[in-house]
Structure formats: structure tokens, C-alpha cells
Amino acid sequence: MVGVLISMRLRLTARAMREGRAALNFWIGSLFGLAAALVTAGIIGFGHDTLHSGVTIAAALFGAWTLGWICGPILTGSSDETLQPEQFRLLPLTDRQLAYGLAAAAFAGPAAVINLVAFAGLIILAAPHGIAPALVAIAGAVLQLIFVVLLSRVVMAWLGAAMRSRRGKDLGVLLAALLGLAYYPINLLVSNLGPTLEKASSGFATPLRAVPSGWAPAAVEAAARGDALWTALPLLGLAALSLVLWQAWAVLLHRRLTLPPVSAGQVLDAENGLLDRFIPPTPVGAVVTKELRTWWRDSRRRASLLPLLLIGFALPVFLAIKNGNTGTIPFAGAFVVWLATMGGTNLYGFDGTAVWQTIVTPGAARADVRGRAIAWAMLVAPVALLATLILPGILGQMRLYPWALSTLPVLLGVGIGAVVFLSTHAAFSLPPQRGNPFSGSGNPGCAKLLMQLSVGLGQLLISVPVLVILGVGAALDNLWVQWLALPLGLVLGGLAASIGIRLATTRLETRGPEILVAVKPR
């Protein structure tokens, strides 16, 4: 059975390597990942003076990669479920057999190979110190890979299990957001502090070795000094912890396959609700109301947006800590818009085949695209605007108000246009929502990162005229000249949003069947 699942995974991977846009996402994502892995292996293998400092660096970078496996699916709003457990529900397999087979298939993808290349830096580090440390490094790199893959599977399965009820979904999304937020300070610690500890005292290096991500490097150091006990204990600990994670995954798979999702309860049609009082009863208003309610009720949409909104606030704070100044914090609103755009570039993918209702309704495309754009703006703009209005004043950086308020409408306008434009021109399918709200089809995480890169570049380019006026005002030390950038920013943002909406409407009207095929779950 394991061989069959591995063959299925390899066949699907080979298919992704050949099929148009999926192939582009696959190869670009793999190349970027491989480059990061080679850099990591090089730093671990050659970026040190002594074995002790090299082990400290290895422990820090191993921790960063482990965090990537845990937080990556949350930060990108997707996790790879090429083989879904529900597809094997009717086969005569026990939960442990299914967990064993799916775990083995998870190592057949490119992500596992790329991570093994990164962890192979430990072998380069250990090789000059003898055969025994090199053999320990090989075993440690393999065990570390098994550990991180199983840890990622268990975390995603646990979040999916927590979101089976309405209250659980809210709690799960909040936990996911907190987990995503934890990535930045911890990664700041292990990536930036770790490599500077070459000559630091053991009081700083010991915590990096104490966590599971540092056990394999610690075993190599013990093997180099001939300590058999402390060579075996970390490796046995990784093996035992991986076994526990595998058993936990089997239990979570059993719950996913046997427990039906709890109903969110009956949805009452309140005629005098808040949305009905403030949103006009027009076709566009109907779409806005529907979208706002869907963003609130759908756990997959909340999982893609809420963590990114919170991270948008936290990211400039961590950048300020890293750089030693608070200049980035007043631009938290811009970060919110920038990251929230990532969670909304596949609106029709969220709906799946339900988009056919819009396609077959005469004249519905225009109202649908505009309603979706307005609803997304109503969710993101208030949060970003409040952050932009409040944070510069709290920090006493009043001089940054023209910069923050003038660039925000440009970023927001480009974001609105990009959300609907990419949702119609680069839509991709999502698997049926079952146990994991972060599950994706094929390689959607890479696709989203590529989309966000292009959107971020567009936001930067369209903001150039605004930045020029702000720069001139700063050079002249004239606040009034800087405030002239605000109306220009409003105009540019409005034009970007209107162009994106117009192009998306045309695409939906003329290529509706193609969009339906693209978002149909496979």
C-alpha cells in the first residue's frame, strides 16, 4: 500500500511539472527552495571557525526550517494535501496503516528533498571530524526530516480537527493566527541571533540545542568528542518523538474520517440586520452582503485572511526590533493591505463550482466583480486606516503622517484591483473543504507567493509618483508639499482599482466557462 501511495504522489508531482501554470509554479518554487537549501547547507558546513560554533549555527538554522514547516501553511494560507485521506476512506486500512502510507508519500515530494539538502549541511560540518560524527550526521539529518514533516502534518491536522465546529473554527483560526505571529520573533531569534553566537557563552547556545530542532547537531558534537551516551540520546529522542507524532497523526486522521462536521446552526434571515440597513438592495449590494457573510462564516476564508491581518500589524513591529528603530511601525496599515491581498487573490477558487450561477445569469458578472471588490475593501480598509491614523501619533512620529496616508490609498487601490483581477485571470482549484481549512491543491502556496510578489511590485511601481512628491517635500522640509501626495495617491489608487475591476469583469463575461473549469475541485 505504501508503494502505491508513493507512486500516486510521484505521478501527481510529475503531472504538476508539465501542466502550464502549475508547472511554472512548481519549478519556480522548487528553484527558490533549492537555492535557500544550498545557502543553508553552505552556512552550516563552512560558516564557522570551530565545531562548537558550527553546531550552534546548525541548531539555529534547523530551528528556522522547522518553523517554516509549521508556519508556512498558515502564512501562505495553504498546505499540501495532494493525497487526501478522504479518498481512501472505503479501503480496508487501519488508521495507522493510512497514516504510515500518507507519511511515506509526503516524503516523495520536492519539499522533502529540498529540506534534506538543507539538513545535509550537518554532514559537511561533521565530515572533517571523523567517520563516526559523519554517520551520526547522516542519521540526524534523516531523523530531523522525518520529525519536521510529521510535526507539520500533526499541527495542520490538529487545527483542522479544532475547526470542525463553529466555535472550534473561531478558536482554530485564532490559534493559527497566533502561530503565524510566533514565526517572526522566533525566526528572528534563531536566524539572526544564532549565527552571531560563534563566540558566545554556552548559556546562549544551550537553549538552541535543548529544543528538538537542535538535537541532531548536538549529537554530532557529542560524537566528535567521543561521548557515546549523549550521541545516542538525541537521536533516540528524535526517533521517539517522531513515533509519537505519527501516532498522534493516526488518531487525528481517525477523527477526521469518522466524525461528521458539526453544523454551524441554522442561519436566520434577519430582514432588519445591520447589513440590510446600511447596504442598498441592489445587485451589487446583494453581492456585498453575501460576500461579507461568507467571509465571516467560511472557516477557509477566515483562515486565509485573519492570520494575515494580525501578521500585518506584527511584521513592522518585528522589523523595528530587528533594525533598532520604529520607522516601520507607522506603516502597519500598508503591511496589512499588502498581506491581506495574498488572502484574497482566489475568490472564485473559494466558491468552486458555485461560480456557474454567476456565469449563467445575464448581466451578473459586473455586479459580482464589483460586489466582491467592495466587500474585500470593507474588511481590509478600516483595519488599515485605523492603524495608519493611530500608530504615528502614538509613537510621536507626526512627520510620517503624509507618507503613511498618501501611500495607503495607492496600495489599497492596487490591492482591490489585484484581488479581482487575479481571481479571474489566475484562479486555481481548492480541494473540497473537509478536515483542513489550510489544504491546497497542487502547489497553491507557491502560486500565492508568486502572485503576492507581482502585486507587491505593482504597488511599488504605481506608488513611485507619490513617493517622488513625498521625497521632494522632505528634501525641501516643506510639509505642505508632502501633503500634495495625498490627492495623487487617492487618484492613482482609484484608477488602479477601477482598471482591475473592469478587466476582471471582462474576463468573467468572456471566459466564464474557463474560470469554472479552473476552479472545479480535482
Side-chain angles (χ1 to χ4, degrees):
M1 185 62 190
V2 173
V4 174
L5 292 178
I6 292 177
S7 299
M8 292 175 63
R9 174 61 189 267
L10 291 175
R11 181 64 61 87
L12 292 172
T13 301
R15 179 182 175 184
M17 295 167 62
R18 301 190 303 266
E19 293 190 350
R21 175 174 167 269
L24 178 64
N25 295 333
F26 176 88
W27 285 112
I28 293 180
S30 298
L31 290 176
F32 274 107
L34 183 60
L38 291 175
V39 171
T40 300
I43 293 175
I44 295 175
F46 306 106
H48 58 85
D49 296 328
T50 63
L51 177 63
H52 178 79
S53 62
V55 167
T56 302
I57 294 172
L61 294 178
F62 275 30
W65 280 83
T66 303
L67 283 173
W69 272 91
I70 299 174
C71 302
I74 297 172
L75 295 176
T76 61
S78 61
S79 65
D80 182 19
E81 283 198 353
T82 305
L83 299 179
Q84 298 184 43
E86 288 80 7
Q87 297 168 337
F88 310 98
R89 187 196 302 270
L90 300 180
L91 296 181
L93 297 174
T94 65
D95 301 323
R96 290 182 177 84
Q97 288 174 329
L98 183 58
Y100 181 68
L102 291 176
F107 293 96
V113 177
I114 290 172
N115 277 262
L116 189 60
V117 171
F119 296 156
L122 188 63
I123 304 174
I124 302 174
L125 172 65
H129 299 278
I131 298 178
L135 294 176
V136 170
I138 294 173
V142 174
L143 288 173
Q144 179 69 22
L145 177 64
I146 296 173
F147 166 71
V148 296
V149 171
L150 290 176
L151 179 62
S152 175
R153 290 292 188 269
V154 169
V155 171
M156 291 299 103
W158 176 73
L159 286 174
M163 294 184 181
R164 298 187 71 88
S165 66
R166 180 62 182 270
R167 189 178 299 275
K169 290 174 182 178
D170 296 334
L171 178 60
V173 171
L174 179 60
L175 292 174
L178 295 176
L179 185 59
L181 286 173
Y183 172 80
Y184 291 101
I186 299 176
N187 187 57
L188 178 65
L189 174 65
V190 298
S191 297
N192 295 284
L193 181 60
T196 64
L197 295 179
E198 292 192 26
K199 300 180 181 179
S201 65
S202 60
F204 290 96
T206 300
L208 292 174
R209 292 167 166 79
V211 295
S213 58
W215 290 356
V220 170
E221 186 177 25
R225 65 172 184 265
D227 192 336
L229 177 61
W230 286 104
T231 299
L233 283 179
L235 298 181
L236 292 175
L238 276 177
L241 194 54
S242 299
L243 184 62
V244 171
L245 290 173
W246 171 72
Q247 176 63 33
W249 191 26
V251 173
L252 291 169
L253 282 177
H254 175 76
R255 294 186 60 187
R256 174 172 174 173
L257 295 176
T258 57
L259 296 179
V262 179
S263 175
Q266 182 180 6
V267 179
L268 300 179
D269 185 12
E271 295 183 358
N272 296 321
L274 184 63
L275 295 179
D276 296 316
R277 288 200 297 267
F278 289 96
I279 297 179
T282 61
V284 174
V287 176
V288 172
T289 302
K290 184 264 294 182
E291 282 292 297
L292 291 176
R293 287 174 175 166
T294 305
W295 278 106
W296 175 252
R297 294 169 182 168
D298 185 9
S299 62
R300 173 175 279 169
R301 291 202 186 200
R302 293 203 308 273
S304 68
L305 182 62
L306 179 59
L308 296 178
L309 291 179
L310 297 178
I311 292 169
F313 276 106
L315 182 58
V317 175
F318 298 133
L319 290 177
I321 295 174
K322 178 180 179 180
N323 298 326
N325 63 73
T326 59
T328 58
I329 297 179
F331 296 94
F335 281 96
V336 167
V337 174
W338 180 60
L339 289 175
T341 305
M342 179 189 296
T345 52
N346 193 32
L347 296 179
Y348 291 103
F350 285 129
D351 287 358
T353 53
V355 71
W356 74 269
Q357 300 178 58
T358 302
I359 296 173
V360 300
T361 303
R366 182 178 182 275
D368 190 77
V369 171
R370 281 160 173 74
R372 290 174 185 268
I374 293 172
W376 184 87
M378 290 176 65
L379 292 171
V380 177
V383 179
L385 184 59
L386 285 175
T388 304
L389 291 175
I390 294 174
L391 291 178
I394 292 179
L395 297 174
Q397 299 190 14
M398 310 297 290
R399 59 183 177 81
L400 291 180
Y401 266 120
W403 291 78
L405 289 174
S406 299
T407 55
L408 181 62
V410 182
L411 301 178
L412 186 61
V414 176
I416 293 172
V419 162
V420 292
F421 178 83
L422 292 175
S423 294
T424 52
H425 286 75
F428 56 86
S429 64
L430 297 174
Q433 187 170 351
R434 290 162 178 156
N436 183 3
F438 298 98
S439 62
S441 176
N443 194 14
C446 176
K448 286 188 176 182
L449 290 176
L450 292 174
M451 290 178 187
Q452 186 62 17
L453 180 62
S454 62
V455 172
L457 181 60
Q459 289 171 324
L460 179 61
L461 291 176
I462 298 176
S463 299
V464 168
V466 175
L467 296 176
V468 168
I469 294 178
L470 291 170
V472 171
L476 298 175
D477 196 20
N478 190 322
L479 192 62
W480 293 106
V481 174
Q482 296 185 43
W483 278 113
L484 291 177
L486 178 57
L488 179 60
L490 292 171
V491 171
L492 291 176
L495 288 175
S498 62
I499 292 173
I501 291 173
R502 182 181 297 274
L503 293 175
T505 302
T506 303
R507 175 74 172 183
L508 185 59
E509 290 174 340
T510 59
R511 298 291 184 179
E514 288 82 352
I515 296 175
L516 178 60
V517 172
V519 300
K520 181 181 179 180
R522 291 165 173 79

